[in-house]
């Protein structure tokens, strides 16, 4: 099969399925993974697709700034497989006697089912939703950050009272995320949310960014945590390769969650 024929077939597959997996293409066309990646690079340069670390997706429009949080029914659903893989890997970083921060994002909620049950540790959260689920677990000492309740974001406290209380803690590890993640760092929809995330980061020894691929490349209204302050970024193989390469220049450790 000629290269142009192969690339035409790859485009047909990606238009049908929305994505292609590089290792599957290598097997299908009986070619090396490097050769397939070269095909995908050429097709990306032609504007036909967007390379990811696992393969490629359809080339979409330039991401727009999102300013509003998702509905609770979406945020606190069962979670997509790649989101659950990130949540599971993140939970594995919690060690005996750690003090941990969990926020109120959907991917934090997804961590609940993977939290260690055989070791003692402490969780600090500003989310009523998270607090309600962990308060009865015998191996977890739980602290709820106080402050003004908001109508959105399921009762997560982020005001000046919450920040003042947060500064009284010292954390071993915090798990942060945002509506947008790129080479600049994490961004979010409001100045208050950004300021609260900065406060959490300032009292943590290790900062872990939870970054599902659909958030990578987006930039929201307000920058919160610069990439230089993030120790580990956990994402999945759907992450756009170009942006991941830019993030690597910031010397942030990047870990890809395995779906299996």
């Amino acid at each position: 099969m000629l290269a142009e024929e192969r690339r035409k077939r790859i485009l047909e597959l990606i238009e049908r399925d929305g994505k292609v997996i590089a290792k599957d293409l290598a097997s299908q066309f009986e070619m090396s993974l490097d050769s397939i990646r070269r095909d995908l690079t050429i097709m990306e340069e032609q504007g036909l697709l967007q390379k990811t670390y696992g393969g490629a997706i359809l080339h979409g429009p330039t991401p727009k700034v999102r300013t509003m949080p998702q509905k609770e029914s979406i945020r606190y659903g069962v979670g997509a497989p790649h989101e659950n893989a990130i949540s599971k890997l993140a939970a594995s970083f919690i060690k005996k006697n750690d003090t941990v921060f969990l926020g109120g994002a959907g991917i934090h909620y997804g961590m609940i089912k993977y939290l260690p049950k055989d070791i003692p540790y402490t969780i600090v959260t500003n989310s009523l939703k998270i607090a309600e689920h962990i308060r009865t677990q015998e191996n977890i000492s739980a602290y709820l950050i106080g402050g003004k309740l908001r109508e959105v974001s399921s009762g997560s406290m982020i005001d000046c009272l919450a920040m003042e209380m947060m500064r009284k803690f010292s954390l071993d590890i915090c798990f942060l995320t945002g509506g947008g993640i790129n080479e600049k760092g994490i961004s979010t929809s409001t100045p208050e949310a950004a300021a609260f995330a900065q406060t959490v980061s300032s009292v943590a020894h290790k900062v872990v960014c939870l970054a599902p691929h659909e958030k990578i490349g987006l930039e929201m209204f307000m920058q919160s945590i610069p990439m230089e302050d993030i120790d580990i970024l956990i994402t999945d193989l759907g992450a756009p390769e170009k942006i991941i390469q830019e993030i690597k220049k910031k010397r942030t450790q990047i870990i890809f969650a395995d779906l299996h």
Side-chain angles (χ1 to χ4, degrees), residues 8-34:
K8 182 181 178 181
R9 179 57 180 152
I10 290 173
L11 189 58
E12 290 172 351
L13 290 170
I14 201 171
E15 287 176 341
R16 185 191 72 187
D17 301 331
K19 64 178 181 180
V20 288
I21 306 300
K23 64 180 181 180
D24 292 344
L25 293 177
S27 176
Q28 179 176 339
F29 294 114
E30 298 182 344
M31 297 177 63
S32 70
L33 196 55
D34 286 341

Short mmCIF file of all heavy atoms in Angstrom, two decimals, residues 8-34:
data_model
loop_
_atom_site.label_atom_id
_atom_site.label_comp_id
_atom_site.label_asym_id
_atom_site.label_seq_id
_atom_site.Cartn_x
_atom_site.Cartn_y
_atom_site.Cartn_z
N LYS A 8 -4.92 8.02 3.59
CA LYS A 8 -6.33 8.18 3.28
C LYS A 8 -7.16 7.23 4.13
O LYS A 8 -8.22 7.60 4.66
CB LYS A 8 -6.58 7.93 1.80
CG LYS A 8 -8.04 8.11 1.38
CD LYS A 8 -8.24 7.84 -0.10
CE LYS A 8 -9.70 7.98 -0.49
NZ LYS A 8 -9.92 7.68 -1.93
N ARG A 9 -6.67 6.00 4.31
CA ARG A 9 -7.38 5.01 5.11
C ARG A 9 -7.38 5.43 6.59
O ARG A 9 -8.40 5.27 7.28
CB ARG A 9 -6.72 3.64 4.94
CG ARG A 9 -7.36 2.52 5.76
CD ARG A 9 -8.83 2.37 5.45
NE ARG A 9 -9.44 1.31 6.25
CZ ARG A 9 -10.72 1.27 6.61
NH1 ARG A 9 -11.55 2.25 6.21
NH2 ARG A 9 -11.19 0.29 7.32
N ILE A 10 -6.27 5.97 7.05
CA ILE A 10 -6.19 6.44 8.44
C ILE A 10 -7.22 7.55 8.66
O ILE A 10 -7.92 7.57 9.68
CB ILE A 10 -4.77 6.94 8.77
CG1 ILE A 10 -3.80 5.76 8.83
CG2 ILE A 10 -4.75 7.70 10.10
CD1 ILE A 10 -2.34 6.17 8.97
N LEU A 11 -7.33 8.46 7.70
CA LEU A 11 -8.29 9.55 7.81
C LEU A 11 -9.72 9.02 7.84
O LEU A 11 -10.57 9.51 8.59
CB LEU A 11 -8.10 10.54 6.66
CG LEU A 11 -8.91 11.85 6.75
CD1 LEU A 11 -8.57 12.60 8.03
CD2 LEU A 11 -8.65 12.71 5.53
N GLU A 12 -10.00 8.02 7.03
CA GLU A 12 -11.33 7.41 7.03
C GLU A 12 -11.65 6.80 8.40
O GLU A 12 -12.78 6.92 8.90
CB GLU A 12 -11.42 6.32 5.95
CG GLU A 12 -11.40 6.88 4.52
CD GLU A 12 -11.30 5.78 3.48
OE1 GLU A 12 -11.07 4.60 3.86
OE2 GLU A 12 -11.43 6.10 2.27
N LEU A 13 -10.64 6.13 9.00
CA LEU A 13 -10.85 5.52 10.31
C LEU A 13 -11.11 6.57 11.39
O LEU A 13 -11.99 6.39 12.24
CB LEU A 13 -9.62 4.68 10.69
CG LEU A 13 -9.40 3.39 9.88
CD1 LEU A 13 -8.03 2.79 10.21
CD2 LEU A 13 -10.50 2.38 10.18
N ILE A 14 -10.34 7.65 11.33
CA ILE A 14 -10.49 8.68 12.36
C ILE A 14 -11.80 9.45 12.20
O ILE A 14 -12.42 9.86 13.19
CB ILE A 14 -9.27 9.63 12.36
CG1 ILE A 14 -9.16 10.35 13.71
CG2 ILE A 14 -9.32 10.63 11.25
CD1 ILE A 14 -7.87 11.11 13.87
N GLU A 15 -12.26 9.60 10.95
CA GLU A 15 -13.55 10.25 10.72
C GLU A 15 -14.70 9.36 11.19
O GLU A 15 -15.73 9.85 11.66
CB GLU A 15 -13.71 10.60 9.24
CG GLU A 15 -12.83 11.76 8.81
CD GLU A 15 -12.91 12.03 7.32
OE1 GLU A 15 -13.36 11.12 6.58
OE2 GLU A 15 -12.52 13.14 6.90
N ARG A 16 -14.50 8.06 11.10
CA ARG A 16 -15.54 7.12 11.54
C ARG A 16 -15.59 6.99 13.05
O ARG A 16 -16.66 7.01 13.66
CB ARG A 16 -15.28 5.74 10.91
CG ARG A 16 -16.38 4.71 11.21
CD ARG A 16 -15.93 3.33 10.79
NE ARG A 16 -14.89 2.80 11.68
CZ ARG A 16 -14.23 1.66 11.46
NH1 ARG A 16 -14.48 0.97 10.36
NH2 ARG A 16 -13.32 1.25 12.31
N ASP A 17 -14.41 6.87 13.67
CA ASP A 17 -14.35 6.55 15.10
C ASP A 17 -14.01 7.75 15.99
O ASP A 17 -14.08 7.64 17.21
CB ASP A 17 -13.31 5.45 15.35
CG ASP A 17 -13.63 4.17 14.58
OD1 ASP A 17 -14.83 3.93 14.35
OD2 ASP A 17 -12.69 3.44 14.23
N GLY A 18 -13.59 8.85 15.39
CA GLY A 18 -13.23 10.02 16.18
C GLY A 18 -11.79 10.02 16.67
O GLY A 18 -11.27 11.04 17.10
N LYS A 19 -11.14 8.86 16.59
CA LYS A 19 -9.75 8.75 17.01
C LYS A 19 -9.14 7.49 16.43
O LYS A 19 -9.86 6.60 15.96
CB LYS A 19 -9.63 8.71 18.54
CG LYS A 19 -10.27 7.47 19.17
CD LYS A 19 -10.08 7.46 20.68
CE LYS A 19 -10.70 6.21 21.29
NZ LYS A 19 -10.52 6.17 22.75
N VAL A 20 -7.81 7.42 16.46
CA VAL A 20 -7.10 6.20 16.09
C VAL A 20 -6.01 5.97 17.13
O VAL A 20 -5.49 6.91 17.74
CB VAL A 20 -6.47 6.28 14.68
CG1 VAL A 20 -7.54 6.22 13.62
CG2 VAL A 20 -5.61 7.53 14.52
N ILE A 21 -5.66 4.71 17.34
CA ILE A 21 -4.61 4.32 18.27
C ILE A 21 -3.40 3.89 17.45
O ILE A 21 -3.51 3.01 16.58
CB ILE A 21 -5.06 3.17 19.19
CG1 ILE A 21 -6.38 3.53 19.90
CG2 ILE A 21 -3.97 2.84 20.21
CD1 ILE A 21 -6.30 4.77 20.77
N ALA A 22 -2.26 4.48 17.73
CA ALA A 22 -1.06 4.26 16.90
C ALA A 22 -0.67 2.78 16.85
O ALA A 22 -0.36 2.25 15.78
CB ALA A 22 0.09 5.10 17.42
N LYS A 23 -0.67 2.11 17.99
CA LYS A 23 -0.24 0.70 18.01
C LYS A 23 -1.20 -0.19 17.22
O LYS A 23 -0.78 -1.18 16.61
CB LYS A 23 -0.07 0.20 19.43
CG LYS A 23 -1.33 0.16 20.27
CD LYS A 23 -1.03 -0.36 21.67
CE LYS A 23 -2.29 -0.44 22.52
NZ LYS A 23 -2.00 -0.94 23.89
N ASP A 24 -2.50 0.17 17.21
CA ASP A 24 -3.47 -0.59 16.42
C ASP A 24 -3.23 -0.39 14.92
O ASP A 24 -3.35 -1.33 14.12
CB ASP A 24 -4.89 -0.17 16.79
CG ASP A 24 -5.28 -0.57 18.20
OD1 ASP A 24 -4.58 -1.42 18.79
OD2 ASP A 24 -6.26 -0.01 18.72
N LEU A 25 -2.90 0.85 14.54
CA LEU A 25 -2.59 1.13 13.13
C LEU A 25 -1.34 0.38 12.68
O LEU A 25 -1.29 -0.15 11.57
CB LEU A 25 -2.40 2.63 12.92
CG LEU A 25 -3.63 3.52 13.11
CD1 LEU A 25 -3.24 4.98 12.95
CD2 LEU A 25 -4.74 3.15 12.14
N ALA A 26 -0.34 0.33 13.56
CA ALA A 26 0.89 -0.38 13.23
C ALA A 26 0.61 -1.85 12.96
O ALA A 26 1.16 -2.45 12.03
CB ALA A 26 1.90 -0.22 14.36
N SER A 27 -0.26 -2.43 13.77
CA SER A 27 -0.62 -3.83 13.58
C SER A 27 -1.45 -4.02 12.31
O SER A 27 -1.21 -4.95 11.53
CB SER A 27 -1.40 -4.32 14.81
OG SER A 27 -1.86 -5.64 14.63
N GLN A 28 -2.40 -3.14 12.09
CA GLN A 28 -3.28 -3.25 10.93
C GLN A 28 -2.52 -3.14 9.62
O GLN A 28 -2.77 -3.89 8.67
CB GLN A 28 -4.36 -2.17 11.00
CG GLN A 28 -5.32 -2.18 9.82
CD GLN A 28 -6.43 -1.16 9.97
OE1 GLN A 28 -6.72 -0.71 11.07
NE2 GLN A 28 -7.05 -0.79 8.87
N PHE A 29 -1.57 -2.20 9.55
CA PHE A 29 -0.83 -1.97 8.31
C PHE A 29 0.50 -2.71 8.27
O PHE A 29 1.26 -2.56 7.32
CB PHE A 29 -0.60 -0.47 8.12
CG PHE A 29 -1.86 0.32 7.89
CD1 PHE A 29 -2.29 1.25 8.83
CD2 PHE A 29 -2.62 0.14 6.76
CE1 PHE A 29 -3.45 1.98 8.63
CE2 PHE A 29 -3.79 0.86 6.54
CZ PHE A 29 -4.21 1.78 7.49
N GLU A 30 0.78 -3.48 9.34
CA GLU A 30 2.02 -4.26 9.43
C GLU A 30 3.24 -3.37 9.23
O GLU A 30 4.11 -3.62 8.40
CB GLU A 30 2.01 -5.41 8.42
CG GLU A 30 0.88 -6.41 8.66
CD GLU A 30 0.90 -7.57 7.69
OE1 GLU A 30 1.57 -7.46 6.64
OE2 GLU A 30 0.26 -8.59 7.97
N MET A 31 3.26 -2.31 10.01
CA MET A 31 4.35 -1.34 9.95
C MET A 31 4.86 -1.08 11.36
O MET A 31 4.23 -1.43 12.35
CB MET A 31 3.86 -0.02 9.34
CG MET A 31 3.38 -0.13 7.91
SD MET A 31 2.75 1.46 7.32
CE MET A 31 4.23 2.46 7.42
N SER A 32 6.03 -0.44 11.43
CA SER A 32 6.57 -0.08 12.74
C SER A 32 5.79 1.08 13.32
O SER A 32 5.18 1.88 12.60
CB SER A 32 8.05 0.31 12.62
OG SER A 32 8.19 1.54 11.96
N LEU A 33 5.82 1.19 14.66
CA LEU A 33 5.15 2.28 15.34
C LEU A 33 5.73 3.63 14.92
O LEU A 33 5.01 4.62 14.75
CB LEU A 33 5.27 2.10 16.86
CG LEU A 33 4.33 2.90 17.75
CD1 LEU A 33 2.88 2.68 17.38
CD2 LEU A 33 4.56 2.53 19.22
N ASP A 34 7.04 3.67 14.71
CA ASP A 34 7.70 4.91 14.29
C ASP A 34 7.18 5.37 12.92
O ASP A 34 6.98 6.57 12.69
CB ASP A 34 9.21 4.73 14.23
CG ASP A 34 9.85 4.70 15.61
OD1 ASP A 34 9.19 5.16 16.57
OD2 ASP A 34 10.99 4.22 15.73
#
